[in-house]
């Protein structure tokens, strides 16, 4: 199979999908549905050769006639020449979710700083007593005495057989002056390595957020706390499904599927590590630990543990707190004895990313009741303080991640991320990531669009387009569905109009309703009102650029004063970094996970009632949104809160103005 | 190379020693000196072919003329036919050191019984809750809940990644009814295996004593405490030296020497396991744990940790308490996830065998001060009670192990083990192991011989033969050394006279003086007198058949009333078994090792003074031996204490009478 007229030729087994063959050739084709043949993201053009089965529903008869096929369904029967359209390829992620700043100090206060360095792995420079007839304690015992003095009081120190085998020679090679690498593991420090003192190397760790869509990592110096480099990368598993459910199904349905997804993530992480090490000028063998957070399914896949039962009622994972494991044992290339520490999860759908987020936001500190909302395909919500915490996960669907909508896309180059102006001055403005001609909308753009359409009364509170508004951008598309055109074909990089359809609005309504309903149910479960919540922290890739007033005005977030709504950035990554830098925080994460009471919403009748009530903009009960009712909250168009973080972008956002 | 006219032919590298080639062919040639070419035990006859370098000092010119060569020095240059004389071969050990009784109950009180079964490894039959929406805890958490109920309170339960990977399927295969194998490891229970409940197998352990000369093992049922089978085997390392010092030197001087000795012991243990499993009718995969005791060097070699620094001042081992390790990791073939637990040692020369012995004898229980004496090449002594313990090791030399004396040998078939009658009735009597014509003396025979020679005044208290005694058995041998003939050539299986020489007496004198001096120094270090010791327990292979009154009359043991001198059998094996059967005892062993204060004698001037004073029969200060002075103690010839144990032998000892 050849990809592109001048492209590479790869061997593919007869019957292999074009998706797999393209992957083997190094092309990452987007696949939101994970090979189910209904998202239509993976369209390719078969120029020559024999391919079967790719002419499926998302493609129009015209497209099929032009040779378009779905790469996930099309199977290779013979030599073929395939073209991959630009928009079918996964692009580099924009740095929405991971702050790429590096620091010289002990981290920023807002991204995983710790009051005191007490890293998971330490390199101790020890002077082990030379044995004498008066003190002829065994080698390990003398080493232990020296190490104890360099470690927190009462720390137990353990050595495996390989270390004991190396110990006698190591101690005598340098007359007792040794560098000992110890790692916190299950309540004691375990010796990873003993080297002569002169051989002292840096002691680095990787903080890792394994997102379903995007991986983010920081390279940190465990001796100083400094962040030396950062990396961001799409999760290569995306080719097998956009969300965790599709990944689990794929994993289950294929022989060796689990090993494949595990291997993909290991390769992704290794690539990020290589990238960061190159930037920072350190060999990867100086990395002695990886602290990882992520949702429960991602952590299972990272470790090669089947997530199969997470998707089936009653949604149980294999474990909440994985033990530290040799990184090399799961294919991660750092120091050969280095460890992978995964933070603990709470349940199948409240993962280590949430535990890490709670820690990063300090929800577990102080008496004030606060709320963390992490919006993705699932919206996870935690409410609590130092004494108690409740958590729930609402299946919001991928609408806010750009998936499932006609012109929805990930937050990559070409995605419109903000829209404004419609109601205020009639000039429709938008920003697109990377400055390229826009090819679709990412989640934040949809939030803005809905708010704008409501304000301009182009859409009513039930989500119906209002033809009476007289907008020339309102029309019916070819299958008779009403839609609102945002970008005309001439301005679009997709060579067609970019619009939001009635069905898109319905998807987005369901998504925001699910999240709001979850907040309501959780709040009621602890007998509190919105007013009792001192602060709402919005986390995740989505949260980083979300326009808060718009999110309130469509009823996604509760109507609280602006000062009490705060972006928190990638709290999963921040929490992972805190754990890497501090045994105390690593242990604290476990206490947080243990403390959280999980509410299962999928079978909760209250949740269904609240969901139904929330299927309105902003809500059936408008009294819950006093600022929206009074119009106070509708002034936030394209204005960002002062405390927006992570503004750094590859390129400045481009602002384009159109007459509405 | 062919061994014996009808024997096997083996390939050997040019320059390989006959010792190594014979080993490869399955012949175990004795080698007390470990290939130094001076013990002369390994003599072979070169019938045909080209061999270089074996014609060394221990051989007489006549022997060399007859084709005799030392297998340890003779190197194969070309095809050769070698005969191995019967007496050069290591034979099956007599069951001196390991009691081969099997039991149906929880062990015998005297061989490692425990009050309550709390084994190192447990098989739990669990009913793990099926997850529901009300209890959708993670698989591991539900398993933990079920396991906690079956384990001691507050036990932490841990699982490694391989177990977590297997867990989801295992729980669902049998609807939560599972058999979980958990092993005590560093303060918590670690899951070794999860299997469906129907697959429940027996849960067995091996208690192992790794002696320098002999390995002894019991196969125990961890569910009932019963001893199912026993095995005894020479330590195959013996071909590389009779004592630990020679083994360490060999290990150090050869490339891969450590791995070789480790491999030999693993193979020996595996052979014993196979033997016991066959006898008991269990597959070896049902063995989930091995609890091992042995001296510090043997434990190092078992684990493949270099013992190099144990033999150099200041005599330090790599560790005192090795962690539990996968048995498969050191080549031991039991359950693939089964663990090897080594008991802790105190110092380089007070090993896990002594810790185990103290535990088996209960020295650490109660206020009475007692003493444990383990006599071998090193004589280890412990004195103490529940509050304190002191320990020392005296380098006694191998005289009491039958080595270094002209007609000395191990306690195998053909060894004279007891001698009597000389003084009492003039009829010299002896017993030989296995009933074969005698070929030499083992240690216990020398104790008896010395006592008899003293009583009959054939030897004076300084160890000089007394020609005036008029015994026709006293003579000078060919090199002019005085000797006393015990067995005439005609009665001997060695086809020559068996005698004790003046040099043998000097060796034995030094050995007994070292042990007695060590006891004295240790006693003085705690400000006590012999009278303060309520009981003396004699342990080890030697102890099992030692004639106690004779041991007192030559000054090897202190002169205490017979009721206060007790044989204790193989306390190392007993202690190992107690540890296997009980986590409490395994942990107690560590407390015992921690509590013992080790006294280094090699540089103690008091020890040298005491040694010099003890170089007399029974002692320079006869007032320390009142019963010997009064003649009371000289009546124990061939009378065994009532509490002698381990009398079972392969064959009944044969009693032969001769006129003196």
């Amino acid at each position: 199979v050849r990809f592109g007229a001048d492209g590479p030729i790869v061997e593919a087994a007869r019957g292999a999908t074009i998706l797999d063959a393209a992957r083997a050739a190094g092309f990452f084709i987007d696949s939101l549905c994970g090979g189910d043949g209904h998202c239509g993201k993976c369209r390719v053009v078969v120029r020559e050769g024999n391919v079967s089965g790719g002419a499926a529903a998302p493609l129009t008869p015209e497209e099929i006639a032009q040779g378009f096929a779905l790469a996930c369904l099309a199977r290779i029967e013979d030599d073929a020449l395939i073209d991959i359209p630009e928009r079918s390829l996964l692009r580099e992620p924009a740095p929405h979710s991971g702050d790429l700043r590096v620091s010289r100090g002990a981290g920023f206060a807002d991204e995983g700083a710790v009051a005191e360095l007490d890293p998971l792995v330490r390199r101790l420079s020890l002077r082990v007593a030379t044995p004498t007839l008066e003190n002829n304690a065994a080698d390990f015992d003398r080493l232990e005495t020296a190490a104890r003095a360099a470690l927190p009081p009462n720390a137990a120190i353990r050595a495996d057989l390989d270390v004991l085998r190396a110990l006698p020679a190591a101690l005598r090679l340098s007359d007792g002056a040794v560098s000992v690498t110890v790692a916190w593991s299950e309540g004691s420090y375990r010796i990873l390595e003993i080297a002569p003192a002169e051989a002292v190397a840096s002691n680095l760790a990787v903080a890792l957020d394994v997102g379903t869509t995007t991986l983010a990592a920081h390279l940190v110096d465990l001796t100083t706390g400094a962040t030396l480099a950062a990396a961001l990368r799409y999760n290569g598993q995306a080719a097998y499904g956009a969300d965790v459910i599709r990944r689990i199904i794929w994993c289950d349905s294929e022989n060796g599927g689990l090993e494949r997804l595990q291997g993909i993530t290991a390769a992704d992480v290794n690539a990020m590590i290589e990238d960061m090490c190159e930037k920072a000028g350190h060999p990867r063998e100086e990395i002695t630990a990886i602290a990882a957070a992520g949702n429960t399914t991602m952590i299972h896949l990272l470790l090669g543990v089947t997530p199969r039962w997470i998707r089936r009622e009653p949604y149980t994972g294999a474990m909440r707190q994985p033990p530290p494991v040799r990184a090399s044992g799961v294919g991660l290339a750092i120091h050969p004895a280095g460890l992978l520490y995964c933070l603990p999860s709470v349940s199948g759908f409240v993962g280590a990313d949430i535990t890490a987020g709670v820690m990063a936001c300090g929800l577990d500190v102080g008496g004030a009741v606060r709320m963390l909302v992490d919006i993705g395909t699932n919206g996870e919500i935690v409410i609590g303080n130092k004494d108690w915490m409740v958590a729930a996960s609402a299946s919001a669907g991928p609408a806010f991640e750009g998936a499932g909508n006609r012109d929805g896309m990930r937050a990559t180059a070409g995605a419109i991320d903000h829209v404004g102006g419609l109601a205020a001055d009639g000039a429709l403005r938008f920003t697109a990531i990377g400055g390229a001609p826009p090819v679709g909308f990412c989640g934040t753009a949809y939030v803005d669009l809905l708010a704008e359409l409501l304000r301009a009364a182009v859409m009513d509170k039930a989500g119906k387009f209002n033809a009476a508004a007289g907008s020339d951008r309102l029309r019916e598309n070819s299958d008779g569905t009403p839609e609102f055109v945002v970008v005309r074909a001439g301005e679009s990089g997709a060579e067609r109009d970019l619009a939001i359809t009635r069905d898109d609005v319905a998807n987005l309504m369901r998504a925001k309703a699910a999240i709001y309903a979850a907040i309501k149910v959780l709040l009621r479960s602890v007998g509190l009102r919105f007013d009792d919540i001192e602060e709402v922290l919005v986390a995740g890739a989505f949260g980083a650029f979300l326009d808060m007033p718009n999110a309130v005005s469509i009823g996604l977030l509760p109507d609280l004063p602006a000062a009490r709504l705060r972006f928190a950035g990638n709290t999963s990554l921040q929490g992972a970094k805190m754990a890497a830098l501090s045994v105390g925080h690593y242990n604290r994460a476990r206490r947080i996970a243990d403390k959280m009471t999980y509410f299962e919403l999928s079978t909760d009748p209250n949740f269904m009632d609240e969901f139904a009530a929330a299927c309105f903009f902003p809500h059936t009960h408008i009294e819950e949104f006093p600022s929206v009712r009074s119009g106070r909250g509708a002034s936030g168009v394209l204005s960002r809160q002062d405390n927006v973080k992570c503004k750094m972008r590859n390129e400045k956002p481009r602002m384009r103005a159109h007459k509405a």
Side-chain angles (χ1 to χ4, degrees), chain A residues 568-581:
Chain A
N570 187 340
T571 55
S572 173
L573 182 61
Q574 293 163 26
K577 194 196 281 191
M578 291 167 75
L581 293 175

Side-chain angles (χ1 to χ4, degrees), chain A residues 149-170:
Chain A
L151 285 172
N154 303 320
I157 299 150
R158 306 197 186 279
D160 289 332
L161 188 53
D162 53 346
V163 167
L164 291 172
R165 284 175 173 171
L167 182 57

Side-chain angles (χ1 to χ4, degrees), chain A residues 570-617:
Chain A
N570 187 340
T571 55
S572 173
L573 182 61
Q574 293 163 26
K577 194 196 281 191
M578 291 167 75
L581 293 175
S582 158
V583 167
H585 287 304
Y586 175 73
N587 293 340
R588 176 184 161 202
R590 177 63 197 252
R591 289 195 302 273
I592 289 172
D594 285 345
K595 194 186 281 177
M596 270 193 255
T597 304
Y598 173 68
F599 281 80
E600 181 57 55
L601 298 181
S602 65
T603 52
D604 185 333
N606 287 330
F607 177 71
M608 293 315 293
D609 293 346
E610 285 292 346
F611 175 75
C615 280
F616 206 72
F617 291 118

Side-chain angles (χ1 to χ4, degrees), chain A residues 99-108 111-112 217-221 224-230 276 280 577 581:
Chain A
D99 188 337
L100 296 179
R101 284 184 298 182
V102 298
S103 71
R104 290 179 178 280
F108 296 108
E111 53 173 30
H218 279 183
L219 181 67
V220 297
D221 186 326
T224 64
T227 300
L228 306 179
M276 293 190 293
K577 194 196 281 191
L581 293 175

Side-chain angles (χ1 to χ4, degrees), chain A residues 10 93 131 243 269 300 337 349 524 540 596 644:
Chain A
V10 290
D243 56 58
V269 174
H300 276 61
F349 286 98
R524 189 182 303 157
M596 270 193 255
V644 168

Side-chain angles (χ1 to χ4, degrees), chain A residues 175-361:
Chain A
D175 205 23
V178 287
S179 165
V180 177
T181 308
V182 296
W184 179 258
S185 179
E186 299 184 332
S188 57
Y189 285 96
R190 193 164 287 280
I191 298 176
L192 299 185
E193 185 189 42
I194 299 183
E198 315 85 68
V200 170
S202 294
N203 184 26
L204 310 179
V206 167
L208 178 68
D209 167 44
V210 188
T212 307
T213 303
T214 311
L215 306 176
H218 279 183
L219 181 67
V220 297
D221 186 326
L222 293 177
T223 312
T224 64
T227 300
L228 306 179
L232 205 61
R233 191 184 175 88
Y234 273 129
N235 189 330
Q237 294 174 358
Y240 302 99
D243 56 58
V244 298
I245 299 299
R246 289 199 174 82
R247 305 252 176 101
I248 296 173
I249 291 171
W250 189 85
C251 219
D252 254 20
S253 61
E254 295 282 322
N255 239 335
L258 172 62
E259 291 69 25
R260 191 145 171 196
L261 292 192
Q262 201 282 327
I264 287 171
T265 300
D268 280 342
V269 174
N270 286 339
M272 294 166 82
I273 288 173
E274 203 169 311
D275 176 35
M276 293 190 293
C277 283
E278 200 182 309
K279 282 184 205 157
H282 285 273
R284 64 179 187 205
E285 288 75 17
E286 292 186 348
I287 301 171
T288 55
I290 299 175
N295 66 52
T296 308
T297 298
M298 288 304 113
I299 295 295
H300 276 61
L301 290 176
L302 176 64
L303 291 170
V305 177
T306 182
R308 163 183 284 200
W309 306 95
I310 294 175
R311 95 175 162 93
R312 292 181 168 85
E313 197 182 305
Y315 320 113
T316 54
M319 72 274 151
R320 289 192 306 136
Q321 170 75 76
V325 301
R326 286 259 158 140
S328 61
V330 292
L332 299 176
I334 58 170
H335 186 292
L339 297 184
L340 165 65
Y341 296 86
C342 293
L343 272 70
S345 61
V346 175
S347 70
F349 286 98
V350 174
D353 48 350
I354 303 305
T355 308
V358 166
M359 182 156 80
C361 298

